């Protein structure tokens, strides 16, 4: 097969979708002796998505198509011509970029329909596109991949895609990067970048987006831990500013313990393993996730996880995380403090988390993705 793979909508390596594309291309390169893979990308992002000496070829495009409006137009007006040379066109960010018409067989990964769960997540134009246009475009795909059973349910109910045209291919932690590191070494490295002052810390890695990522309730729960138990911990919120980030920072600034809350901004990939390994506890309070990859990354670093009990997170975390109602600050606080204060509970979370993370594999995800390509190719 000759397979074209787009990277548009992947945020240039700065999002979970980017991580999905990067890891999938890395694994699919192992099949380059059997199939031909060509990656459609921006020239400036070629080195981000295409592994060196991988056997994958590239088809690079001008930066003039980078703005969302122009890129959506390109998908409708220009992609059809590009796709004619492929047997399969794979769109791994299909919940962001899809063509209306394509004579080539199409497979797309729809990661989530988060805006139907989180009111006010996007502005009017983007919300209209996701709710009114995207379901129609998703139905025109020949086959749909998604990352969790939770997202599959949304695709069936909201986009009206038949269940037999959807396959779940879960994400996984990159085990070469996210693995245990000595805590003292990790904290020393983190301390070079942020004012820890030798304090232990609680970690949340996510873009700063309000209300969807639920930083506000986490800050309130952290404040309860401080006020009721005088814990010595700091709270590190690692991630780029996104929608209404200023509101999150204002909430943090108004707390009595604002000096113990650290906003890192965008954290480089090279620092993330140290951030994970240096923390006492990883908290993931999101109100909705298509998958929730940081949960597995933390578990693979042998860090205890406390997370929300909604959307895809129960299937990702299994019985390895302590879960809470993300809308209930008191419940969040109680579970955070329980893991901090109970050594045996902490150790149980670490053991079960490690076992849970080993159930997910990028090699299996790539193999299942290729099986779908083969199936669609056979049905031409």
């Amino acid at each position: 097969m000759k397979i074209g793979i787009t990277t548009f909508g992947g945020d240039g390596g700065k999002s979970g979708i980017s991580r999905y594309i990067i890891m999938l291309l890395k694994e699919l390169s192992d099949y380059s002796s059997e199939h031909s893979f060509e990656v459609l990308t921006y020239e400036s992002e070629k080195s981000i998505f295409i592994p060196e000496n991988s056997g994958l070829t590239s088809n690079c495009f001008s930066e003039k198509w980078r703005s969302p409006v122009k890129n959506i137009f390109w998908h409708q007006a220009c992609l059809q011509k590009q796709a004619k040379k492929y047997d399969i066109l794979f769109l791994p960010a299909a919940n962001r970029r899809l063509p209306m018409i394509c004579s080539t067989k199409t497979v797309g990964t729809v990661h989530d329909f988060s805006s139907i769960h989180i009111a006010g997540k996007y502005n009017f134009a983007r919300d209209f596109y996701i709710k009114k246009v995207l379901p129609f475009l998703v139905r025109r795909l020949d086959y749909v991949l998604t990352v969790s059973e939770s997202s599959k349910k949304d695709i069936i109910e909201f986009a009206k895609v038949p269940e037999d045209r959807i396959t779940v291919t879960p994400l996984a932690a990159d085990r070469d990067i996210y693995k245990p590191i000595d805590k003292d070494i990790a904290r020393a490295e983190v301390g070079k970048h942020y004012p820890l002052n030798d304090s232990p810390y609680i970690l949340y890695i996510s873009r700063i987006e309000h209300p969807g990522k639920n930083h506000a309730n986490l800050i309130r729960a952290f404040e309860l831990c401080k006020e009721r138990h005088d814990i010595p911990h700091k709270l590190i919120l690692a991630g780029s500013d996104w929608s209404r980030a200023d509101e999150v920072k204002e909430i943090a600034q108004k707390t009595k313990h604002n000096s113990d809350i650290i906003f890192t901004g965008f954290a480089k990939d090279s620092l993330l393993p140290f951030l994970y390994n240096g923390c006492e506890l990883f908290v993931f309070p999101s109100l909705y996730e298509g998958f929730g990859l940081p949960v597995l990354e933390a578990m693979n670093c042998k860090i205890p996880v406390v997370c929300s009990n909604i959307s895809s997170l129960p299937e990702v975390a299994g019985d390895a995380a302590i879960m809470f109602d993300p809308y209930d600050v008191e419940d969040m606080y109680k579970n955070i403090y329980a893991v901090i204060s109970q050594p045996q509970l902490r150790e149980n979370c670490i053991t079960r988390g490690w076992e849970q993370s080993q159930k997910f594999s990028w090699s299996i995800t790539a193999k299942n993705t290729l099986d779908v390509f083969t199936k669609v190719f056979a049905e031409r």
Side-chain angles (χ1 to χ4, degrees), residues 42 63-72 97:
Y42 297 116
E63 294 291 318
K64 72 179 182 181
W65 298 111
R66 181 174 289 279
S67 78
V69 172
K70 289 182 179 179
N71 197 250
I72 289 171
R97 301 289 188 271

Side-chain angles (χ1 to χ4, degrees), residues 34 41 46 79 84 111 128 164-165 171 176 185 187 192 223 238-239 242 311 313 351 354 371:
E34 304 169 42
T41 189
K46 179 179 176 181
L79 182 56
K84 287 181 178 179
H111 296 260
F128 178 85
D164 62 1
R165 284 175 50 207
L171 312 185
D176 292 333
I185 293 174
R187 279 194 182 161
K192 294 177 183 177
E223 188 173 24
W242 207 260
S311 64
L313 294 173
T351 300
W354 173 260
D371 287 345

Side-chain angles (χ1 to χ4, degrees), residues 322-358:
I322 304 299
M323 295 194 172
F324 53 74
D325 178 349
Y327 294 95
D328 187 338
V329 173
E330 188 75 18
D331 189 35
M332 192 186 304
Y333 141 72
K334 287 179 179 178
N335 285 284
I336 289 172
Y337 184 68
V339 176
I340 289 174
S341 62
Q342 299 177 35
Q344 188 57 57
L345 178 60
R346 174 185 172 80
E347 289 304 315
N348 288 343
C349 286
I350 290 172
T351 300
R352 292 199 303 268
W354 173 260
E355 293 170 352
Q356 179 70 4
S357 69
Q358 304 310 296

Side-chain angles (χ1 to χ4, degrees), residues 3-7 16-32 37 39 48-51 54 56 90-93 107-111 145-147 169-174 293 361-373:
I3 302 160
I5 303 174
T6 70
T7 68
I17 291 180
S18 280
R19 179 56 49 191
Y20 167 76
I21 298 171
I22 289 167
M23 294 305 298
L24 200 55
L25 289 177
K26 179 181 175 183
E27 294 293 335
L28 287 175
S29 68
D30 290 344
Y31 299 93
S32 59
F37 299 96
V39 182
I48 295 173
F49 291 107
I50 303 178
S54 63
L56 307 180
F90 177 43
L91 301 116
V107 176
T109 302
V110 179
H111 296 260
L145 298 176
T146 192
V147 296
T169 54
L171 312 185
D174 184 343
L293 183 55
S361 164
W362 279 113
S363 61
I364 294 174
T365 295
K367 175 63 169 60
N368 292 342
T369 301
L370 192 61
D371 287 345
V372 168
F373 296 163

